[in-house]
Amino acid sequence: MAKEDEKKETGEWKEFFWNPRTHELLGRTASSWGLILLFYLIFYTFLAGMFCLTMYVMLLTLDDYQPTWQDRLATPGMMIRPKTDLLEIVYNVEKTESWDSYVQALDNFLAPYNDSQQVMKNDACVPDQYFTQEDSGEVRNNPKRSCQFNRTVLEDCSGLSDHTYGYQDGKPCVLIKLNRVIGLLPGEKGRSPYVTCRARKEDSESIGTIAYFPPNGSFNLMYYPYYGKRAQVNYSQPLVAVKFMNISLNTDVNVECTINSNSNTIQFKISERDKFAGRVIFKLRINKA
């Protein structure tokens, strides 16, 4: 009986897979399988068509030169160069290999700011006023021109008179830059925003004297507004260099640099929730035996 039941069960499975009497495969005839495949072919073709149509309509709303929708940042972010993962600049004055990487990073970053490069690519603009370049209705005024930011403006921190940027002498330079924000107007009537740096409370006696380059530590208005990477191909982001003249040696100094408004109507808000909005905090330690 067991063998007969086993044969019967095996025969049922074989008949389910292919029934020679009714010509059914897996319980369906050829016409039934054909209708199912046709249904799913039409169904998924319709879904693909809807997806393509949706993407096409969405792309029609996008602008090639600036975002259709963007947050209006009250305060742009800030960052330093040389930049490390932990925002720490730690080196030993007497060991060249400990600070040479910082010098190389600054050399590479400032290469596009060489005066010879700026003269070829950008314009000599009128300082202390916006360099506005409006479009003529539907006609794009692209590519837009950019103002020169010459490396020599950074003076002692340009790497030209001192190729070590002060790192060899224990007087390091750190470059500060604002993040690019399309359409940002950070000042008014010749009043440019400026950078100030100070030590955190616990390190206030260790930071010493700070020199700024340009001397007023400002981001001149002529570099604004920014029109985007595609519209303003040769844009040179303005920089402020900070030189620590006599910082305490063999001591951790936590430095906070902030952007300040020189305007009565435009104010930058510094939030404790975002450590990069309008400020940057980094650690500086110079060791010497």
Side-chain angles (χ1 to χ4, degrees):
M1 290 292 293
K3 289 183 178 180
E4 290 180 1
D5 292 341
E6 186 176 344
K7 288 181 179 180
K8 183 179 180 180
E9 185 176 345
T10 303
E12 289 177 352
W13 275 105
K14 289 181 178 179
E15 188 173 303
F16 173 74
F17 183 77
W18 171 249
N19 190 327
R21 292 180 293 100
T22 60
H23 296 90
E24 292 180 349
L25 177 66
L26 298 177
R28 291 185 181 276
T29 62
S31 60
S32 178
W33 279 114
L35 290 174
I36 289 176
L37 292 175
L38 179 62
F39 168 78
Y40 281 108
L41 177 63
I42 297 173
F43 177 68
Y44 285 114
T45 301
F46 174 76
L47 289 182
M50 286 293 294
F51 174 76
C52 293
L53 178 62
T54 303
M55 292 297 296
Y56 174 73
V57 172
M58 185 191 70
L59 290 174
L60 289 178
T61 66
L62 300 181
D63 192 304
D64 290 337
Y65 294 96
Q66 70 179 51
T68 303
W69 307 104
Q70 65 179 20
D71 293 334
R72 289 296 178 184
L73 298 177
T75 306
M78 293 181 69
M79 189 44 65
I80 64 169
R81 292 292 187 274
K83 178 186 174 185
T84 60
D85 292 338
L86 299 177
L87 292 185
E88 295 181 353
I89 300 176
V90 181
Y91 71 96
N92 191 313
V93 174
E94 299 167 341
K95 297 181 179 179
T96 305
E97 64 275 11
S98 69
W99 49 263
D100 187 60
S101 61
Y102 299 136
V103 172
Q104 292 295 327
L106 289 174
D107 279 340
N108 294 334
F109 181 73
L110 288 176
Y113 290 92
N114 288 334
D115 291 19
S116 58
Q117 295 288 325
Q118 292 293 313
V119 168
M120 288 191 299
K121 294 180 179 180
N122 296 331
D123 296 353
C125 301
V126 179
D128 299 325
Q129 66 182 40
Y130 291 125
F131 188 39
T132 305
Q133 302 170 75
E134 298 290 348
D135 296 326
S136 300
E138 296 296 327
V139 179
R140 295 280 188 177
N141 180 23
N142 293 326
K144 299 184 187 298
R145 295 170 295 155
S146 301
C147 295
Q148 295 178 16
F149 187 93
N150 295 314
R151 186 171 178 172
T152 50
V153 172
L154 301 178
E155 300 182 28
D156 292 349
C157 289
S158 65
L160 301 176
S161 58
D162 176 9
H163 72 279
T164 70
Y165 300 92
Y167 282 79
Q168 187 177 28
D169 302 323
K171 300 178 181 180
C173 290
V174 177
L175 304 182
I176 309 291
K177 69 182 189 71
L178 281 179
N179 290 347
R180 302 181 184 187
V181 180
I182 294 177
L184 176 67
L185 300 175
E188 64 171 1
K189 297 179 181 178
R191 298 179 179 181
S192 301
Y194 61 95
V195 172
T196 55
C197 296
R198 68 179 189 277
R200 304 285 277 179
K201 293 181 180 179
E202 62 275 15
D203 303 320
S204 58
E205 296 181 359
S206 303
I207 196 168
T209 305
I210 300 175
Y212 298 91
F213 305 98
N216 53 3
S218 67
F219 296 104
N220 201 284
L221 295 183
M222 65 180 175
Y223 301 106
Y224 302 95
Y226 172 59
Y227 290 98
K229 190 173 182 179
R230 288 194 66 178
Q232 217 166 358
V233 179
N234 295 323
Y235 180 74
S236 294
Q237 199 164 358
L239 307 171
V240 169
V242 181
K243 187 177 182 68
F244 299 90
M245 305 300 293
N246 53 354
I247 193 169
S248 298
L249 301 176
N250 305 313
T251 304
D252 288 348
V253 180
N254 293 294
V255 182
E256 179 179 8
C257 294
T258 57
I259 183 68
N260 304 276
S261 173
N262 198 16
S263 167
N264 295 324
T265 58
I266 299 173
Q267 298 297 326
F268 298 117
K269 297 179 181 179
I270 308 300
S271 172
E272 292 298 326
R273 296 181 179 180
D274 189 347
K275 63 180 181 180
F276 295 110
R279 64 174 178 171
V280 61
I281 301 171
F282 60 96
K283 185 177 83 171
L284 182 58
R285 181 184 178 93
I286 306 173
N287 295 319
K288 187 175 181 179

